[in-house]
Amino acid sequence: MIERLEVIEKRYLELQEELMKPEVFSDIKKATNLNKEQSSLKDAYEAYQEYKKVISDMKDAKAMMKDSELADFAKEEYGELEKKKSELEERIEVLLLPKDPNDGKDVIVEIRGAAGGDEANIFAGDLYRMYTHYAESQGWKVEEINALEGMAGGYSQVEFRVKGDNVYSKLKYESGSHRVQRVPETESQGRIQTSTATVLVMPEVEDIDIDIKDSDLRIDVYCASGHGGQGVNTTPSAVRITHLPTNTVVTCQNQRSQIQNKAEAMQVLKARLYEAELERQEAELGSERRSKIGTGDRSEKIRTYNYPQNRVTDHRIGYSTMQLAKVMDGDLEEIIEALIAEDQARKLRGE
């Protein structure tokens, strides 16, 4: 543990020196990358500084025990420091766990209404609102990329980007099938209906992460449409891109120009192809993906939102809260923290 912490400390201080150089300071891209790397090491570096201070204080307390007048005070101090050292070691153990290389990335989220017709689309809209409010509480920025509104409200499909600090590290647990149990507004008999919406969270990728050949793409342009399919644009600004080798199709019509829509669609395509490649690699590793909290597959039922009981249950970790209204208003932090804690616990157990 100490050897790893010393390596982190050395690299952290090297980065600090690099960032002070004028040539780095004037290179925004390089400075951003170095800042990100230093930020990823900060918690472990600071914990190690605290750990070294505790060890030093323990040595001082032990020396003070030889003084008869200070012995009682020194013993009490030593006991408290021992407890602090043990707590720090547990914290450092977690900080040194292998990190997901995508944790610091922004994400592209896709929500689709699934089983349940109009009610599923309305629920997809509720989830979109929930994530938007959660992002706001975290100081993140949400940008809508593409949206197909449902006839009765909500969305049959909506894609949006979330930008900020370590977005993927928290939202990556949200991929899967979300189930709602409630009486739909359209239900006159007051019967409870079960509907689902699927969520897919993809790390946003840069050009260096995935290479797409122009020859592998078919790009179609058409006029954007609005609610119910009516035309809202007389010029062909909407873009549909098909990646021929995988038959992956993405569309974007939210931006004003064809160029902007094409750029947005390419970002979504890269994210989808990158996510597919991650799944392929993890499938080859066998148990690696199964050992995670959830596989991220659309078909996996991860959470139920039960309105009659005012309850939200995450089935992967058996977590329930009776604060459904708060959760739907974006208060997701407790659920996400519970998922992170369980993920860390499994890694510490070597699962």
Side-chain angles (χ1 to χ4, degrees):
M1 183 182 85
I2 299 299
E3 285 178 3
R4 289 181 67 191
L5 288 169
E6 285 174 347
V7 170
I8 288 169
E9 180 183 53
K10 183 182 176 185
R11 181 58 182 158
Y12 185 89
L13 295 173
E14 283 175 353
L15 289 165
Q16 210 162 49
E17 284 185 25
E18 278 286 303
L19 286 162
M20 296 294 287
K21 293 177 180 176
E23 63 269 26
V24 173
F25 193 74
S26 60
D27 187 336
I28 295 173
K29 189 174 182 181
K30 188 173 183 180
T32 300
N33 290 335
L34 292 177
N35 266 312
K36 278 186 178 179
E37 185 183 350
Q38 190 185 46
S39 179
S40 71
L41 302 175
K42 186 180 179 184
D43 288 345
Y45 170 79
E46 289 180 349
Y48 184 39
Q49 304 315 301
E50 195 176 346
Y51 185 78
K52 286 195 293 184
K53 175 81 166 54
V54 168
I55 297 296
S56 175
D57 289 348
M58 285 177 74
K59 286 179 182 176
D60 292 343
K62 204 166 187 178
M64 286 167 62
M65 287 181 201
K66 296 173 184 176
D67 187 324
S68 58
E69 291 183 9
L70 298 171
D72 289 344
F73 169 77
K75 282 179 184 176
E76 187 180 339
E77 180 76 6
Y78 190 86
E80 289 177 4
L81 288 166
E82 244 184 346
K83 184 182 175 185
K84 191 173 182 181
K85 175 176 174 279
S86 178
E87 290 171 353
L88 267 172
E89 284 172 344
E90 286 182 16
R91 185 172 148 222
I92 288 169
E93 212 173 18
V94 170
L95 289 170
L96 292 180
L97 285 171
K99 285 187 170 58
D100 186 330
N102 292 316
D103 274 353
K105 292 184 177 179
D106 298 334
V107 303
I108 291 173
V109 184
E110 178 190 281
I111 303 174
R112 294 188 185 210
D118 288 340
E119 172 64 5
N121 292 343
I122 292 168
F123 179 50
D126 293 340
L127 291 177
Y128 179 32
R129 177 178 173 274
M130 178 183 79
Y131 290 126
T132 300
H133 284 194
Y134 177 65
E136 288 170 357
S137 75
Q138 299 293 304
W140 299 337
K141 185 180 179 184
V142 175
E143 299 172 355
E144 191 174 292
I145 297 172
N146 194 49
L148 297 174
E149 295 180 2
M151 294 295 290
Y155 299 92
S156 60
Q157 181 177 335
V158 59
E159 290 160 327
F160 56 99
R161 178 184 290 106
V162 186
K163 301 174 77 171
D165 292 333
N166 298 310
V167 179
Y168 186 74
S169 70
K170 290 194 169 185
L171 289 185
K172 65 183 176 182
Y173 302 105
E174 296 303 298
S175 287
S177 179
H178 295 242
R179 182 175 70 171
V180 64
Q181 294 173 322
R182 64 186 177 189
V183 178
E185 292 178 15
T186 54
E187 172 56 56
S188 58
Q189 303 297 317
R191 289 173 295 195
I192 294 171
Q193 180 177 320
T194 298
S195 306
T196 59
T198 60
V199 176
L200 179 61
V201 179
M202 303 169 282
E204 190 164 26
V205 295
E206 316 237 347
D207 290 339
I208 55 171
D209 291 316
I210 189 162
D211 182 40
I212 300 174
K213 297 176 183 175
D214 290 341
S215 57
D216 288 340
L217 301 177
R218 185 179 74 233
I219 300 174
D220 302 306
V221 295
Y222 56 98
C223 293
S225 62
H227 181 75
Q230 74 265 31
V232 296
N233 200 333
T234 55
T235 58
S237 61
V239 173
R240 181 189 299 110
I241 300 178
T242 305
H243 184 249
L244 299 172
T246 60
N247 200 33
T248 303
V249 180
V250 297
T251 60
C252 186
Q253 63 175 25
N254 281 30
Q255 302 301 321
R256 293 184 179 181
S257 75
Q258 186 184 123
I259 293 172
Q260 289 173 316
N261 281 323
K262 182 183 175 184
E264 291 281 19
M266 282 300 295
Q267 283 295 318
V268 176
L269 177 62
K270 287 176 184 177
R272 284 194 185 168
L273 294 179
Y274 185 67
E275 177 69 11
E277 177 60 17
L278 286 180
E279 287 187 20
R280 186 192 66 77
Q281 290 174 5
E282 286 166 348
E284 286 180 359
L285 292 172
S287 62
E288 167 65 15
R289 195 165 182 90
R290 288 194 297 275
S291 72
K292 292 183 176 181
I293 293 184
T295 62
D297 292 339
R298 285 185 188 278
S299 59
E300 183 194 15
K301 182 183 72 179
I302 66 166
R303 196 175 296 148
T304 294
Y305 306 76
N306 187 304
Y307 277 71
Q309 296 177 16
N310 192 38
R311 173 175 50 82
V312 179
T313 299
D314 195 289
H315 304 289
R316 297 163 294 180
I317 58 173
Y319 177 95
S320 286
T321 175
M322 308 305 286
Q323 302 287 332
L324 183 142
K326 286 177 70 177
V327 169
M328 295 309 295
D329 203 34
D331 192 355
L332 278 170
E333 192 65 7
E334 273 191 30
I335 297 175
I336 288 174
E337 287 298 331
L339 287 161
I340 291 171
E342 177 60 22
D343 197 19
Q344 290 173 345
R346 292 184 186 185
K347 287 174 181 173
L348 286 169
R349 292 194 298 265
E351 295 178 10

